[in-house]
Amino acid sequence: MKGMDVNAHTTKDTSRQAEQLQEQSLEMFCKYFSFFGLCLFLPTQRRCSLGHVSSLHSSDTTSLPGFENLTMGYNKYLRPYFGGEPVQIAMSLDIASISSVSESNMDYTATISLRQRWTDPRLVFHGNRSFTLDARLAELLWVPDTYVVESKRSFLHDVTVGNRLIRLFSNGTILYALRITTTVACNMDLSKYPMDTQTCRLQLESWGYDENDVTFTWLRGNDSVHGMEQLRLSQYTVERYYTLVSKSQQETGSYPRLILQFELRRNVLYFILETYVPSTLLVMLSWVSFWITLDSVPARTCIGVTTVLSMTTLMIGSRSSLSKTNCFIKAIDVYLGICFSFIFGALVEYAVAHYSSSQKCAAKVPQEGPANKITKEMEDVNITNILNNSITSYKEKISFTSIEISSDNVNCSDLTTKSHEKIKCVLRNKMHRIIGYFTIQNPGNVDHYSKLLFPLFFMLVNVFYWAYYLYF
């Protein structure tokens, strides 16, 4: 029994010693790890009193020559060359996509990779190597305060981690890259929509540092922007793009600004098939009524009303897609207005022709009653009555020639009444002549001329329309 007690006691002591050794080793590992982290990132703690840790640090610096400069009095709140020359920041862009261009909101959404390069002499180390550091190290370094001008919404991608890159070169050059999606305002002129070309900008500017502290430059001019040639948009084609270097003069100072300006030309083929062709066919459909007789009132009225209603629906549908831009008189609105005018004119043409035809038919109907009796009596006039009338008229002419006119027997009231009657008679004759000009003698000619004039005028208007909006 005693032997069994001794063995059990020995086993307990052994397990207790093993646990103590594990705890001591864990404590030593934590101390080494924490001290290594402090020596690597904190600028004030460079030396250690523990011999094991100092030997470990010296072994790391031999693999990373000069890397201990990161821990020498570095202050992330002060820019490089603080109090001296400005920091030169070279930028380049990689346009991943332009997902949407909104005419109603007048903006576009783009996903870009922004790369910034600058030199920090405090981070120079010996050798000819570069090191890619953890992105979280950006919180311990000075970085430019670049922002996107006229940005409505922006965010940094963070799947699976924050999409940032920091690369340190031996000469102190830092490469800092970000992947951003931003929605930027773009002032658009929609007067030629959908045959328009829009010019949009992506502007990068320093928020707090003016041109005395930082200067912005493109890394390789126009070649600093990549990905624009490969872009495929639903309604646009990238015509051309170019880079600019500018300054933004504000109340607090002059700030450096880089500009990427690009032109987007809208693809008009979709709108031709969606709007222009249907509206043109509706106009041509309204001309079918010219070949239908005037007596077919239901047929011609049905064609006119149907085409007018269809054109109205097409106009409402085209404007509903751009509800917030109705303040613009767009090119497509002008064309739809022209088509609506021709369709409505065809309907009015039938109304005029039918009214003239009905008036002419009413005039041809023989009148009954006293008028017929008068005509019969006039036919019974004999030759003696005609001779008597001619003799009396001849006597009156002779009597008028024998009258001597003097100033005593002139009646002024008779002269004035005769002059008024003459003026009324002249005006009445002129009115009849004017009305006669607009009186349609043959209503069938209205359709005959409309078959020629409507298509001719429509073709001329189309020539002027397309020439103006495509070349002016």
Side-chain angles (χ1 to χ4, degrees):
M1 294 294 293
K2 289 183 178 181
M4 293 176 65
D5 295 333
V6 171
N7 291 331
H9 184 69
T10 304
T11 304
K12 291 180 179 179
D13 293 336
T14 303
S15 62
R16 190 175 299 168
Q17 290 177 0
E19 291 176 358
Q20 291 178 357
L21 288 174
Q22 289 179 358
E23 292 177 358
Q24 290 177 359
S25 63
L26 183 61
E27 290 177 358
M28 290 298 293
F29 176 78
C30 293
K31 289 180 180 180
Y32 288 160
F33 183 80
S34 61
F35 193 80
F36 176 76
L38 292 174
C39 291
L40 183 62
F41 295 107
L42 295 180
T44 57
Q45 297 182 2
R46 292 188 59 225
R47 298 180 180 179
C48 305
S49 60
L50 296 177
H52 298 288
V53 179
S54 62
S55 63
L56 180 62
H57 186 270
S58 63
S59 64
D60 286 343
T61 56
T62 56
S63 61
L64 301 177
F67 198 70
E68 68 272 8
N69 288 335
L70 284 173
T71 63
M72 290 180 58
Y74 187 87
N75 190 348
K76 69 176 182 179
Y77 300 108
L78 300 179
R79 67 172 180 86
Y81 309 106
F82 181 75
E85 61 182 3
V87 183
Q88 294 184 359
I89 301 174
M91 296 189 186
S92 62
L93 287 175
D94 189 359
I95 309 297
S97 66
I98 297 180
S99 58
S100 64
V101 180
S102 175
E103 293 84 5
S104 58
N105 297 324
M106 289 196 178
D107 57 25
Y108 68 93
T109 302
T111 299
I112 62 174
S113 295
L114 173 62
R115 299 183 180 91
Q116 305 176 81
R117 294 173 182 264
W118 70 94
T119 300
D120 194 339
R122 297 173 293 181
L123 303 178
V124 176
F125 61 89
H126 299 287
N128 191 16
R129 300 179 60 184
S130 62
F131 301 99
T132 300
L133 307 178
D134 191 279
R136 289 168 288 187
L137 187 61
E139 299 177 357
L140 303 175
L141 299 176
W142 180 88
V143 294
D145 57 349
T146 307
Y147 77 102
V148 180
V149 184
E150 297 179 348
S151 175
K152 297 181 178 180
R153 296 175 299 277
S154 299
F155 65 90
L156 178 68
H157 291 262
D158 55 359
V159 178
T160 57
V161 294
N163 295 172
R164 295 185 294 178
L165 168 68
I166 295 181
R167 184 168 294 169
L168 178 63
F169 297 86
S170 59
N171 61 351
T173 300
I174 300 175
L175 171 61
Y176 182 46
L178 301 169
R179 185 166 174 258
I180 306 170
T181 295
T182 179
T183 301
V184 186
C186 179
N187 296 325
M188 300 181 183
D189 182 10
L190 299 176
S191 59
K192 291 188 176 182
Y193 176 91
M195 292 169 285
D196 55 335
T197 299
Q198 303 298 336
T199 301
C200 296
R201 290 184 172 187
L202 179 63
Q203 305 179 81
L204 303 172
E205 185 179 323
S206 175
W207 174 255
Y209 295 103
D210 58 12
E211 60 181 359
N212 295 322
D213 295 322
V214 296
T215 58
F216 284 179
T217 58
W218 291 105
L219 185 62
R220 291 179 294 272
N222 283 346
D223 295 333
S224 302
V225 180
H226 303 281
M228 294 294 291
E229 296 84 357
Q230 291 77 26
L231 286 180
R232 294 295 180 267
L233 304 179
S234 59
Q235 294 187 14
Y236 291 92
T237 301
V238 180
E239 284 283 295
R240 63 191 183 100
Y241 66 93
Y242 49 91
T243 57
L244 299 172
V245 179
S246 179
K247 295 179 183 179
S248 175
Q249 189 66 39
Q250 301 181 13
E251 184 179 357
T252 55
S254 180
Y255 296 89
R257 176 181 292 186
L258 297 182
I259 301 174
L260 169 62
Q261 187 164 310
F262 53 94
E263 295 181 359
L264 300 175
R265 180 175 57 84
R266 195 184 304 274
N267 300 324
V268 73
L269 181 61
Y270 167 79
F271 297 93
I272 290 176
L273 299 177
E274 186 74 13
T275 304
Y276 284 93
V277 171
S279 59
T280 304
L281 292 178
L282 285 175
V283 174
M284 297 174 67
L285 179 62
S286 66
W287 298 341
V288 176
S289 62
F290 300 152
W291 277 264
I292 302 175
T293 60
L294 294 174
D295 298 334
S296 302
V297 178
R300 297 193 64 165
T301 305
C302 181
I303 291 176
V305 174
T306 303
T307 52
V308 168
L309 294 178
S310 300
M311 195 66 210
T312 304
T313 304
L314 191 62
M315 294 175 65
I316 294 174
S318 65
R319 295 178 67 87
S320 62
S321 59
L322 297 174
S323 58
K324 296 183 180 179
T325 60
N326 288 335
C327 56
F328 288 93
I329 300 177
K330 301 177 286 294
I332 194 170
D333 296 334
V334 174
Y335 190 82
L336 292 176
I338 292 171
C339 293
F340 184 84
S341 300
F342 274 90
I343 292 173
F344 189 77
L347 182 61
V348 172
E349 182 271 343
Y350 173 65
V352 172
H354 186 267
Y355 176 77
S356 301
S357 178
S358 61
Q359 290 293 107
K360 186 176 181 181
C361 293
K364 290 182 179 180
V365 176
Q367 297 180 357
E368 298 179 355
N372 292 332
K373 294 180 180 180
I374 293 173
T375 55
K376 290 180 181 180
E377 291 179 355
M378 290 178 65
E379 293 177 355
D380 295 336
V381 174
N382 51 13
I383 298 173
T384 56
N385 291 332
I386 296 174
L387 293 174
N388 293 330
N389 291 331
S390 61
I391 293 171
T392 54
S393 60
Y394 179 73
K395 290 181 179 180
E396 289 177 356
K397 289 180 181 180
I398 294 173
S399 62
F400 277 120
T401 55
S402 62
I403 297 175
E404 293 182 357
I405 301 173
S406 61
S407 59
D408 297 332
N409 58 4
V410 174
N411 193 351
C412 295
S413 61
D414 293 338
L415 292 176
T416 54
T417 54
K418 290 181 180 179
S419 63
H420 284 301
E421 289 178 356
K422 290 181 179 180
I423 292 173
K424 290 180 181 180
C425 183
V426 171
L427 292 176
R428 191 180 298 109
N429 291 332
K430 289 184 178 181
M431 289 296 297
H432 284 299
R433 289 180 181 179
I434 294 173
I435 295 172
Y437 289 144
F438 294 97
T439 301
I440 300 174
Q441 302 297 331
N442 188 3
N445 291 335
V446 177
D447 285 342
H448 179 72
Y449 291 128
S450 298
K451 293 175 185 178
L452 177 64
L453 295 179
F454 270 78
L456 180 62
F457 281 128
F458 188 70
M459 291 176 61
L460 290 176
V461 170
N462 270 271
V463 169
F464 285 111
Y465 174 85
W466 292 103
Y468 174 78
Y469 283 105
L470 289 178
Y471 300 105
F472 295 98

